[in-house]
């Protein structure tokens, strides 16, 4: 995919670099501003003209986030919800993806088509029934009321992405294993698993990022503060009248960092796979 | 014989967990939402009578307060979705071509470009609120100190400007998706096609119009389709930045429905509105598909 270097006029080059710098600024600045604000003391945040760098790296906002705003409890809830959802979605999705790509059965194609269609379901349509459902099952204000819908919402994309990896395993390997007398379970565990693990992990990362930032369901079905997830917890950072920006940004950093690290680890996947599945 | 039966059932056993989860927590709520809209449902009451189309009538009677609020939200949602899509496509596709021009450092830029998409949308809402804040906002300060706006300018004073602020935040979040998808597609363009066009002496604009645009059009329309659904149902950024205000002037459908259900607890109304909203979204999708088909056929 490497292109040969193209000779361009000086004007064209200047234009390209200028646009590149502007684009980079637009992309990076808001993120930089979150980090920068998180290290500023409250009064410094309101200084005009705004200070481009924090005077000293003040960790007060981070301390306040944990002591006053109970970020630890939000963090715990978010981790519980996200990790459970990711593991369940990826495992359940993996089984389905294996069946859909490697077995021929009545209804398989229709199911795949249906999975694509579910992407049109707006979450807001599901809210009221989920709320009634949860209050009937006495799940209201408990974490399973989030985990169960999350699994269902994430499964279609997880299956579609994982199918791509199962499809890539050459038929020859499958046939060779069959000749050696592998049954379906051995085939799944011994032949496919090692080959598709990178893809499954990458799909899990995608699910993680989606669930980690979910807000609409979490803010609707949970009203007890001790059960809030991180994104909902962010809305509680109110000072006397306005947001307590310092602690809010400190917590934002805490939320954003795991997502960004995971994303960086699987960057190639995002660009190639997600692009591939959109084309289909 | 036994083995063959196993083989027949096995795929169904494998997809069963996924199918059950999706049926119970995705399909059932969808259907339940539809049936709810035919009832006068309230959690507090034991009696929940079937009212037929009564709920829908409320939203289609012209003088009704609720109907007026609802259709105003529909209008705002369409403005919101349309402006977001147009700006995100322009910036997104532009950035894709910029990356494709393969300058020194383009791979560095490429590794940054997905940051806005990974950053949780609630945080996007908050950081843009802060940057556009009346007192502490760096964007507000920049506009004021360059005298582009007067000194007591505030983004969140009027509905139009609040909408503009939220659109900026949402575009920032959405455009990288277009950029990466289109860039990935551009990288697969056959070089002979480009070379042939160059030999014929096509200029940059013709190159874009007759070589690149037809090549990316399928990817572009899939991206538009997905982005349309996301934006139409977007909630987080608007909720955080304006919460529908000032005076309901940025209340989109998601905000209105969520508030109706969880603040006012009128569940039937919320269900009815979401059924209408979903129908509107589907009709827009179906109509655009039909129009696209007709255009393709006429060509």
């Amino acid at each position: 995919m490497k292109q040969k270097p193209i000779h361009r006029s000086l004007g064209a080059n200047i234009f390209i670099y200028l646009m590149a710098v502007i684009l980079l600024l637009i992309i990076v600045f808001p993120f930089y501003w979150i980090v920068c604000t998180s290290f500023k003391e409250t009064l410094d945040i309101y200084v005009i003209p705004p200070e481009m760098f924090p005077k000293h790296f003040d960790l007060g906002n981070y301390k306040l986030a944990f002591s006053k705003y109970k970020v630890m409890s939000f963090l715990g809830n978010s981790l519980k919800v996200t990790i459970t959802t990711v593991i369940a979605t990826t495992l359940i999705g993996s089984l389905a993806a294996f069946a859909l790509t490697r077995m021929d059965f009545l209804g398989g194609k229709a199911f795949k088509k249906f999975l694509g269609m579910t992407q049109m379901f707006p979450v807001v349509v599901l809210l009221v029934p989920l709320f009634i459902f949860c209050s009937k099952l006495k799940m209201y204000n408990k974490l399973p009321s989030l985990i169960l819908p999350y699994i269902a919402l994430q499964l279609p994309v997880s299956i579609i992405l994982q199918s791509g990896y199962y499809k890539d395993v050459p038929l020859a390997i499958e046939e060779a294993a069959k000749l050696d007398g592998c049954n379906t379970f051995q085939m799944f565990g011994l032949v496919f698993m090692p080959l598709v693990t990178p893809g499954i992990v990458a799909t899990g990362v995608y699910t993680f990022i989606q669930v980690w930032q979910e807000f609409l369901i979490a803010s609707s079905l949970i009203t007890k503060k001790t059960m809030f997830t991180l994104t909902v917890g962010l809305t509680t950072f109110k000072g006397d009248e306005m947001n307590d920006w310092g602690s809010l940004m400190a917590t934002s950093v805490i939320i954003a960092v795991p997502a960004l690290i995971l994303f960086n680890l699987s960057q190639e996947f995002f660009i190639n796979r997600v692009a591939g599945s959109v084309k289909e | 014989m036994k083995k063959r039966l196993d083989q027949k059932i096995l795929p169904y056993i494998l997809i069963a967990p996924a199918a059950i989860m999706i049926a119970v927590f995705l399909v059932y709520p969808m259907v339940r939402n539809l049936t709810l809209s035919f009832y006068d449902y309230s959690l507090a009451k034991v009696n929940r009578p079937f009212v037929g189309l009564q709920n829908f009538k409320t939203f289609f009677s012209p003088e009704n307060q609720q109907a007026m609020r609802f259709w105003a939200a529909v209008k705002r949602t369409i403005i919101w979705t349309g402006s977001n899509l147009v700006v995100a496509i322009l910036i997104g596709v532009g950035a894709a071509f910029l990356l494709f021009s393969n300058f020194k450092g383009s791979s560095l830029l490429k590794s940054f470009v997905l940051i806005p998409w990974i950053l949780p949308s609630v945080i996007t809402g908050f950081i843009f609120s802060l940057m556009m804040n009346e007192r502490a906002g760096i964007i507000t300060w920049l506009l004021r100190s360059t005298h582009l706006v007067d000194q007591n300018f505030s983004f969140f004073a009027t509905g139009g400007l609040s909408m503009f602020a939220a659109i900026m935040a949402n575009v920032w979040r959405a455009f990288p998706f277009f950029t990466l998808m289109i860039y990935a597609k551009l990288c697969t363009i056959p070089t002979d096609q480009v070379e042939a066009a160059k030999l014929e002496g096509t200029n940059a604009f013709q190159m874009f119009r007759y070589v690149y645009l037809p090549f990316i059009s399928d990817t572009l329309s899939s991206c538009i389709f997905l982005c349309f659904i996301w934006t139409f149902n977007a909630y987080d950024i608007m909720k955080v930045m304006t919460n529908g205000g000032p005076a309901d002037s940025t209340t989109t459908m998601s905000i209105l429905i969520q508030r109706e259900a969880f603040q006012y607890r009128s569940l039937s109304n919320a269900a009815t509105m979401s059924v209408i909203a979903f129908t509107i979204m589907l009709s827009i999708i179906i109509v655009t598909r039909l129009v696209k088909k007709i255009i393709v056929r006429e060509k």
Side-chain angles (χ1 to χ4, degrees), chain B residues 213-255:
Chain B
L213 197 60
F215 187 72
I216 60 169
S217 67
D218 279 347
T219 311
L220 189 60
S221 60
S222 324
C223 290
I224 293 174
F225 172 69
L226 282 174
C227 196
F228 168 76
I229 295 172
W230 294 335
T231 319
F232 194 88
N233 301 306
Y235 175 79
D236 308 1
I237 287 179
M238 204 58 124
K239 172 75 186 175
V240 167
M241 286 184 78
T242 69
N243 196 10
D248 260 358
S249 54
T250 56
T251 304
T252 52
M253 274 190 279
S254 300
I255 301 259

Side-chain angles (χ1 to χ4, degrees), chain B residues 67-143:
Chain B
M68 283 187 330
R69 259 193 299 146
F70 176 71
W71 291 104
V74 172
K75 200 180 110 196
R76 284 191 286 267
T77 308
I78 290 171
I79 295 172
W80 154 261
T81 313
S83 355
N84 262 306
L85 274 178
V86 170
V87 185
I89 291 169
L90 286 178
I91 300 181
V93 175
F97 275 93
L98 184 69
L99 285 181
F100 186 62
S101 67
N102 206 28
F103 55 93
K104 248 188 210 151
S106 59
S107 58
L108 182 79
L109 188 59
K110 198 177 85 185
S111 63
F112 279 116
V113 89
L114 259 183
I115 288 181
W117 202 46
I118 304 300
L119 197 71
S121 48
V122 177
I123 299 181
T124 307
F126 276 119
I127 187 59
F128 275 82
S129 300
L130 176 62
M131 291 193 305
M132 296 167 131
N133 186 284
E134 202 178 347
R135 279 178 57 205
I138 185 162
I139 297 179
T140 320
W141 167 76
L142 210 66
L143 292 174

Side-chain angles (χ1 to χ4, degrees), chain A residues 206-226:
Chain A
Y206 179 85
T207 311
F208 180 95
I209 291 171
Q210 294 293 317
V211 176
W212 188 244
Q213 61 170 281
E214 206 287 330
F215 179 68
L216 178 51
I217 297 180
S219 64
S220 300
L221 296 188
I222 303 276
T223 49
K224 214 161 78 188
K225 209 177 155 186
T226 52

